[in-house]
Amino acid sequence: MAVDKDRLREEEEASFVRFCKIILGWDYFGLLTEAAKQKKERGKGGGSGLRQVKNTYKDVDDYLATFEPLLFEEVKAQIIQKKDDEEVTEWVLRLVVECNESEGFLLPSVTYGDDEGEKIVQNDLLLLSEDQFKEGAGKFPQVYAFALVEQRQHNLLRLRMFLAGEVMNLNTDVIESRTRLLKMHGLITSPGLLHEKRLFSLKICSLSTISREYFALRSIGSLPFKDLILTAADKSSGSEDQAWKVSQPLSEHFQGSLNKSQMEAIDAGLLRKAFVLIQGPPGTGKTQTILALLSAILHATPTRVHTMVLWEGCCSN
């Protein structure tokens, strides 16, 4: 069964809209306060914060209800920890040049200096504020909001903002108005002069990778093998004697360069099952494992073919 590309494209657009509405309405200082509280509780023996998830799911909705909250928790962690190694840590003054609205989003274009180089790119998350501030100073601004970089053109940044309110419990039909967002909307859309529409921006992190992960999560309903993911059924596309066989030199190379879990993942991939899921946190060697698995397949043949070739060779002698 093929994937319906038109349906997939529509789902990608819908997922992007949902992703942005949820994140861009968040309160940056509220996230910091929540994270500090959780850290304090863990320090008192409140647990590691890790959640146990199910292995099987009733349907797509059950699957999304489990993993979507976890993904947004990861977004919050990135915002709080600022994991981007090349993050811009200084406030930059920007002027609002123009502003449009579409599908409930505000799309302002702001100035971008020649001296900034490649510091800001598409899908970077910015914090916009009417005033500069320092974390821990005790005094927070009254007008601030997140913005996602849509594109950079010459000396302008086109941003996406959601200022209608904050989405509650991941339900985009329930949005609560926030004073800080209303004031930001008024500041950006006011008919004042250009120099009066000034904002300070601070780069927080990049959302490129996790936005792709979110789309992959939301597209599960369109995948031809979704039932394998939901039921975690151990199905094989053929008998065990069709497993790919790795040559001795390549196997020895893998043993010297890969760890135990990577070898187990490769062995599972070579069994020629209908579906094999390899997962792991960043930095655990998933890419290296995939490259090794591809190398094994390219340089190997099914065991049954090996057996047939050897048998024919014996007969010819």
Side-chain angles (χ1 to χ4, degrees), residues 108-127:
S109 293
V110 301
T111 54
Y112 186 80
D114 293 332
D115 58 339
E116 292 187 70
E118 302 295 322
K119 292 180 180 178
I120 305 293
V121 296
Q122 184 180 18
N123 290 326
D124 278 348
L125 184 68
L126 307 181
L127 179 65

Side-chain angles (χ1 to χ4, degrees), residues 136-191:
K139 185 179 180 180
F140 300 139
Q142 298 300 309
V143 183
Y144 59 93
F146 284 124
L148 188 69
V149 177
E150 295 241 303
Q151 59 181 325
R152 192 185 71 219
Q153 294 181 328
H154 304 296
N155 293 332
L156 288 179
L157 289 177
R158 187 187 181 195
L159 309 177
R160 178 180 291 260
M161 305 180 74
F162 185 67
L163 304 177
E166 188 169 355
V167 173
M168 306 307 296
N169 300 317
L170 303 185
N171 185 351
T172 53
D173 292 328
V174 181
I175 300 174
E176 292 191 0
S177 177
R178 295 288 184 261
T179 301
R180 59 183 177 83
L181 300 179
L182 293 175
K183 288 183 177 180
M184 177 65 75
H185 188 283
L187 174 63
I188 293 177
T189 60
S190 65

Side-chain angles (χ1 to χ4, degrees), residues 6-295:
D6 291 335
R7 179 184 174 186
L8 206 59
R9 191 177 298 110
E10 292 176 359
E11 289 182 351
E12 182 175 10
E13 294 175 358
S15 295
F16 178 73
V17 168
R18 177 177 172 81
F19 182 77
C20 290
K21 282 185 176 181
I22 292 173
I23 292 174
L24 297 181
W26 283 347
D27 184 342
Y28 178 67
F29 298 105
L31 296 181
L32 296 182
T33 301
E34 179 185 353
K37 181 180 178 180
Q38 291 176 351
K39 185 177 180 180
K40 186 176 181 181
E41 290 176 352
R42 288 195 296 269
K44 294 181 178 179
S48 63
L50 297 176
R51 305 178 192 174
Q52 185 174 359
V53 298
K54 300 179 293 185
N55 292 324
T56 60
Y57 304 88
K58 294 183 298 183
D59 50 30
V60 171
D61 290 338
D62 187 27
Y63 183 86
L64 293 176
T66 300
F67 286 102
E68 189 179 47
L70 295 177
L71 186 140
F72 281 112
E73 287 299 320
E74 176 60 23
V75 178
K76 290 180 180 180
Q78 288 192 24
I79 292 173
I80 294 165
Q81 298 173 12
K82 300 180 182 179
K83 293 182 178 179
D84 191 350
D85 293 336
E86 299 180 357
E87 123 194 30
V88 177
T89 57
E90 296 182 355
W91 289 99
V92 178
L93 176 63
R94 305 194 187 280
L95 301 178
V96 181
V97 177
E98 62 179 5
C99 185
N100 299 302
E101 293 192 46
S102 177
E103 298 180 323
F105 291 98
L106 211 60
L107 306 173
S109 293
V110 301
T111 54
Y112 186 80
D114 293 332
D115 58 339
E116 292 187 70
E118 302 295 322
K119 292 180 180 178
I120 305 293
V121 296
Q122 184 180 18
N123 290 326
D124 278 348
L125 184 68
L126 307 181
L127 179 65
L128 300 185
S129 175
E130 186 178 28
D131 302 300
Q132 299 182 66
F133 66 89
K134 290 184 178 181
E135 293 180 18
K139 185 179 180 180
F140 300 139
Q142 298 300 309
V143 183
Y144 59 93
F146 284 124
L148 188 69
V149 177
E150 295 241 303
Q151 59 181 325
R152 192 185 71 219
Q153 294 181 328
H154 304 296
N155 293 332
L156 288 179
L157 289 177
R158 187 187 181 195
L159 309 177
R160 178 180 291 260
M161 305 180 74
F162 185 67
L163 304 177
E166 188 169 355
V167 173
M168 306 307 296
N169 300 317
L170 303 185
N171 185 351
T172 53
D173 292 328
V174 181
I175 300 174
E176 292 191 0
S177 177
R178 295 288 184 261
T179 301
R180 59 183 177 83
L181 300 179
L182 293 175
K183 288 183 177 180
M184 177 65 75
H185 188 283
L187 174 63
I188 293 177
T189 60
S190 65
L193 298 175
L194 180 62
H195 70 273
E196 295 176 342
K197 294 185 178 183
R198 67 173 205 167
L199 290 167
F200 292 93
S201 81
L202 182 70
K203 178 179 172 182
I204 300 299
C205 64
S206 171
L207 295 182
S208 288
T209 299
I210 204 157
S211 63
R212 292 195 298 269
E213 292 177 358
Y214 185 67
F215 167 62
L217 175 68
R218 297 287 302 185
S219 66
I220 182 176
S222 299
L223 300 179
F225 46 79
K226 69 172 185 253
D227 291 338
L228 292 172
I229 298 177
L230 298 177
T231 62
D234 187 14
K235 297 180 180 179
S236 177
S237 60
S239 58
E240 291 299 319
D241 63 352
Q242 287 185 314
W244 294 100
K245 184 175 181 180
V246 182
S247 65
Q248 186 64 27
L250 189 57
S251 177
E252 292 176 354
H253 172 72
F254 287 163
Q255 293 289 347
S257 58
L258 303 175
N259 59 38
K260 180 181 178 181
S261 61
Q262 289 174 311
M263 287 299 302
E264 290 175 348
I266 291 175
D267 290 340
L270 294 176
L271 289 176
R272 297 170 65 84
K273 293 179 180 293
F275 181 82
V276 175
L277 174 64
I278 299 175
Q279 63 179 7
T284 53
K286 294 187 297 297
T287 301
Q288 185 183 16
T289 302
I290 292 171
L291 292 175
L293 184 55
L294 289 174
S295 178

